[in-house]
Amino acid sequence: MVMKARTLSQGGASLVALMVGLVIASISLLGLMTAYRNTVEVTMNASQNAESDGQQITGLSRISRLAIQAGYGLESAAPDQDLILLTSANLSGNTLSGTQQIGAQGAGNALLWGWQQDGGSYLCAGVLAGVSGMQYMQAQSCDSVSDWQALTWQSQTLVTGGQLSLSLEAVLCAPFGLEAAENGIHGTRRFRVSTSLSTEHNGNPAPADLQLCLVNFRSAA
């Protein structure tokens, strides 16, 4: 009897199939890695922006608390004597330079003020704005803030980053958000300080603004 030889076939993956599978797996892995990187970048940017926002809010809040001292304790606080606005202001070492705005009105980058301590001495302080934030010109004893050029100034950073500007105007100003009335204390014209801060959030400006009534300074009716 003649027996026929049986042909045996071996199962498994060919080299081509293995290479195709490897390419597909590499593409999938690359996509996952790209998605992970994008997620991490978005998370980091959000965290950095949140930190920046927090610093801005804290800095602007400190400015409002400090500037409200302007003219405190003085019987007749007056601009150019107890309130000085400077343009092109610059602090070199401990010396402050700049051009004084007559009447303390308009736009500038430094605001200086004086006030009287309770039963104490006259003090001078201020803020200096620039392209990289805002500095607090620390309080010091003085005769008048009009002597600002002769004073020795020490600075402390209030806000970092962004671009800040200052403006001061004599307008009808309602302190603490109260509605201004035609008569009475809230109807009196007062100086308003406006500081604007703008930082970059993913290439888009994010402005913040602070308006403050300097209640111890009255403008002409």
Side-chain angles (χ1 to χ4, degrees):
M1 179 181 292
V2 179
M3 299 182 64
K4 294 181 179 181
R6 181 179 295 178
T7 301
L8 300 177
S9 61
Q10 185 176 0
S14 67
L15 180 60
V16 174
L18 288 175
M19 293 180 64
V20 170
L22 182 60
V23 170
I24 294 174
S26 299
I27 294 175
S28 300
L29 182 60
L30 181 61
L32 289 174
M33 291 179 63
T34 301
Y36 174 76
R37 185 189 63 185
N38 292 339
T39 301
V40 170
E41 288 180 353
V42 170
T43 303
M44 289 182 62
N45 288 335
S47 177
Q48 292 172 352
N49 290 340
E51 182 179 357
S52 176
D53 288 342
Q55 292 176 350
Q56 294 170 27
I57 293 171
T58 301
L60 293 178
S61 177
R62 290 189 63 190
I63 292 171
S64 66
R65 293 199 305 270
L66 293 167
I68 202 67
Q69 297 172 330
Y72 175 80
L74 303 176
E75 292 185 3
S76 56
D80 298 328
Q81 177 179 333
D82 306 299
L83 189 65
I84 303 292
L85 180 66
L86 302 177
T87 60
S88 303
N90 180 62
L91 182 64
S92 178
N94 301 117
T95 302
L96 183 64
S97 61
T99 302
Q100 183 174 336
Q101 295 286 81
I102 303 301
Q105 294 192 61
N109 69 317
L111 181 66
L112 310 175
W113 61 81
W115 77 98
Q116 188 80 35
Q117 286 184 314
D118 293 333
S121 60
Y122 186 94
L123 298 176
C124 294
V127 289
L128 173 64
V131 295
S132 59
M134 180 170 283
Q135 295 176 294
Y136 171 54
M137 312 295 286
Q138 298 182 25
Q140 59 178 301
S141 296
C142 60
D143 295 326
S144 171
V145 75
S146 60
D147 299 329
W148 60 272
Q149 289 176 300
L151 298 176
T152 301
W153 295 98
Q154 301 288 339
S155 65
Q156 176 187 359
T157 300
L158 285 177
V159 181
T160 57
Q163 203 158 21
L164 294 99
S165 61
L166 283 168
S167 65
L168 194 63
E169 54 185 333
V171 295
L172 190 65
C173 190
F176 312 113
L178 298 175
E179 184 178 357
E182 290 299 326
N183 300 306
I185 186 170
H186 301 306
T188 304
R189 283 183 174 266
R190 303 192 186 273
F191 288 94
R192 177 185 295 162
V193 179
S194 177
T195 62
S196 59
L197 170 64
S198 178
T199 58
E200 292 295 320
H201 282 222
N202 298 327
N204 298 317
D209 184 69
L210 168 69
Q211 292 188 351
L212 175 67
C213 298
L214 301 184
V215 296
N216 299 308
F217 288 89
R218 298 186 182 185
S219 67

